[in-house]
């Protein structure tokens, strides 16, 4: 008996390299791209530990929970960290970055999350990249949630370490991720005596044993099924066209926001300004005197397939997240989410207009 998931020929180094090349084209980058064999936390942590140390002064931008995590990793590496935190319902501006760098001219590392799916905001990386490049700091970017939903252009934006994952807007697997690495980021790692070596966290191992060796021999057995799934999801994006995929996510966000505003019941967008709202997911503030987790629970009991979740941690009481990414970046997913939320709000005794919400969403879909 054979099984299509089990009885596969081994993934060759050539096939692995070809998948890396397709990911590089997706990012329009000439930098080295390494596909790491694990969820995106692997390269996110590995890149920080490879480039930061006791001599590092880092400006760490916090627009959500991942920015907080990066600050913890940087401190653990011995770096001096200046946190630039902005309210989670907004985005950081290039001017705020410029001012922070002027106040701390010794800064040589800037860490930023592009889109925070957990809080629903997105940051203007192109403008921020100009400021960071002018300052000369190494620029580290978490683009895990944004890739596939909005432009991610490491070369054009001057990003030295750009980490992506396939499990959100790309509609792919969670078990593999990738990072594009600039020449000066490689040099920074090579000069860092604390950079992980002979470690699963080590990017330098991939550089020296994979890239410098002509990509002829893999470091270890690859995550074969995840690599094939990554290849398939990139093929699907290529077939549809990246611009088309991004437009679908933008439409889903616009439709969800318009529908939520029309729904009533006290529901409102968590991110105040639409220009700061991420296309990958829309966050909503639960009405006063309600609990987000309870509303989401009621909505899911009515329709378990809707892409709804409550906020994490301290946001669990007040935030509802509509995860309209990947396969759920569709008019149908938006409609069903609004209808389920409307039903949950009505059960709580709030007056809602589900039909009006659906009409507003349809009108907003481009």
């Amino acid at each position: 008996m054979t099984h299509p998931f089990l009885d596969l020929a081994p993934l060759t180094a050539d096939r692995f390299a070809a998948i890396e090349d397709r990911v590089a084209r997706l990012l329009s980058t000439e930098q080295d791209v390494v596909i790491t064999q694990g969820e995106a936390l692997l390269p996110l942590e590995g890149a920080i530990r490879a480039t930061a140390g006791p001599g590092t002064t880092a400006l760490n931008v916090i627009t959500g929970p991942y920015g907080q995590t990066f600050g913890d990793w940087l401190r653990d590496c011995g770096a001096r960290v200046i946190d630039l935190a902005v309210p989670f319902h907004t985005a950081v501006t290039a001017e705020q970055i410029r001012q922070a760098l002027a106040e701390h001219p010794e800064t040589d590392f800037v860490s930023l999350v592009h889109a925070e799916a957990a809080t629903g905001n997105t940051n203007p990386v192109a403008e921020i990249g100009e400021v960071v490049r002018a300052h000369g700091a190494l620029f580290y970017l978490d683009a895990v949630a944004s890739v596939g939903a909005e432009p991610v252009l490491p070369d054009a934006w001057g990003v030295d370490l750009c980490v992506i994952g396939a499990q959100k807007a790309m509609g792919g697997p969670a078990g593999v991720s990738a990072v594009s690495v600039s020449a000066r980021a490689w040099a920074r790692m090579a000069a860092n005596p604390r950079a992980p070596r002979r470690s699963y966290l080590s990017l330098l191992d991939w550089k020296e044993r994979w890239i410098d060796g002509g990509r002829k021999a893999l470091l270890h057995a690859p995550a074969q099924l995840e690599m094939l799934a990554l290849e398939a999801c990139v093929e699907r994006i290529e077939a549809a066209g990246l611009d088309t995929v991004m437009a679908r996510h933008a439409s889903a966000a616009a439709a969800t926001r318009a529908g939520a505003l029309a729904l009533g019941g006290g529901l409102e967008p968590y991110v105040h300004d639409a220009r700061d709202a991420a296309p990958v997911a829309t966050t909503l503030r639960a009405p006063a005197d309600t609990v987000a987790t309870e509303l989401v629970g009621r909505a899911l009991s009515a329709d378990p397939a809707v892409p709804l979740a409550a906020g994490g941690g301290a946001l669990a009481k007040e935030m509802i997240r509509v995860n309209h990414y990947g396969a759920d970046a569709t008019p149908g997913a938006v409609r069903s989410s609004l209808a389920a939320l409307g039903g949950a709000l009505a059960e709580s005794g709030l007056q809602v207009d589900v039909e009006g919400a659906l009409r507003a969403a349809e009108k907003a879909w481009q």
Side-chain angles (χ1 to χ4, degrees):
M1 178 181 176
T2 62
H3 194 289
F5 291 163
L6 301 178
D7 302 305
L8 297 168
L11 190 72
T12 65
D14 285 345
R15 183 81 169 272
F16 192 103
I19 298 171
E20 282 185 337
D21 291 342
R22 295 179 88 156
V23 172
R25 288 194 294 273
L26 185 72
L27 297 175
S28 299
T29 185
E30 297 296 324
Q31 297 178 3
D32 291 324
V33 169
V34 176
I35 296 179
T36 47
Q37 304 296 282
E39 200 272 337
L41 283 171
L42 171 63
L44 285 169
E45 182 175 357
I48 282 180
R49 296 196 180 277
T51 52
T56 302
T57 299
L59 176 64
N60 179 52
V61 183
I62 300 176
T63 58
Y66 280 99
Q68 294 171 326
T69 297
F70 301 158
D72 292 340
W73 286 340
L74 286 161
R75 290 182 179 89
D76 190 54
C77 290
R80 175 175 173 248
V81 181
I82 297 106
D83 285 326
L84 173 57
V86 302
F88 290 177
H89 62 256
T90 186
V92 72
T93 67
E95 184 55 34
Q96 287 173 305
I97 301 288
R98 183 180 290 107
Q99 290 176 1
L101 292 174
E103 292 171 7
H104 302 279
E106 69 278 17
T107 299
D108 60 356
F109 187 100
V110 174
S111 50
L112 175 72
V113 178
H114 187 182
E116 285 266 14
T119 50
N121 54 30
T122 191
N123 294 301
V125 182
E127 299 168 20
I128 292 168
E130 290 183 13
V131 175
V132 175
R133 186 165 53 242
H135 186 81
L138 203 74
F139 192 11
Y140 163 101
L141 183 71
D142 171 354
V144 174
S146 54
V147 65
E150 54 188 306
V152 175
L153 302 167
D155 294 11
W157 297 344
V159 179
D160 295 289
L161 294 156
C162 182
V163 177
I164 66 167
Q167 70 268 32
K168 287 190 167 64
M170 288 177 66
V176 288
S177 45
V179 54
S180 66
V181 187
S182 72
R184 70 177 190 151
W186 285 130
R188 180 84 159 254
M189 293 181 207
N192 181 8
R194 295 194 174 200
R197 307 298 295 268
R198 300 299 183 265
S199 162
Y200 208 61
L201 283 173
S202 178
L203 293 177
L204 275 175
D205 285 357
W206 283 97
K207 166 68 170 167
E208 295 174 358
R209 298 169 59 194
W210 170 245
I211 295 171
D212 292 349
R215 299 194 298 178
K216 299 298 183 185
L218 291 162
L219 275 64
H220 45 72
Q224 175 146 317
L225 293 178
E226 288 81 1
M227 287 295 295
L228 295 175
L230 175 62
E231 182 181 49
C233 94
V234 174
E235 284 179 350
R236 188 163 58 186
I237 292 170
E238 290 172 346
L242 179 57
D243 288 345
T244 298
V245 175
M246 291 191 295
R248 189 162 65 236
H249 284 83
S251 292
T256 302
R257 190 178 184 90
L261 286 167
L263 185 60
L267 195 68
E268 60 184 26
Y270 186 84
V271 177
H272 295 179
D273 195 325
R275 68 180 178 181
D276 295 336
V280 69
T282 296
T283 48
L284 304 169
R285 190 177 297 278
D289 300 323
T290 66
V291 177
T293 50
E294 295 175 0
L295 289 173
V296 169
R298 291 193 193 102
L300 290 175
S301 66
D303 186 352
V306 293
L308 295 175
L315 299 174
K317 182 178 180 180
E318 65 183 26
M319 179 188 286
I320 298 166
R321 192 169 71 241
V322 185
N323 295 316
H324 45 66
Y325 54 70
D328 288 318
T330 63
V334 172
R335 285 196 300 268
S336 61
S337 297
L338 292 169
L341 281 174
L345 291 167
E347 283 184 36
S348 300
L350 298 169
Q351 187 172 357
V352 294
D353 181 4
V354 174
E355 290 303 317
L358 298 180
R359 287 194 300 269
E362 182 177 5
K363 184 178 180 180
W365 189 282
Q366 299 297 320

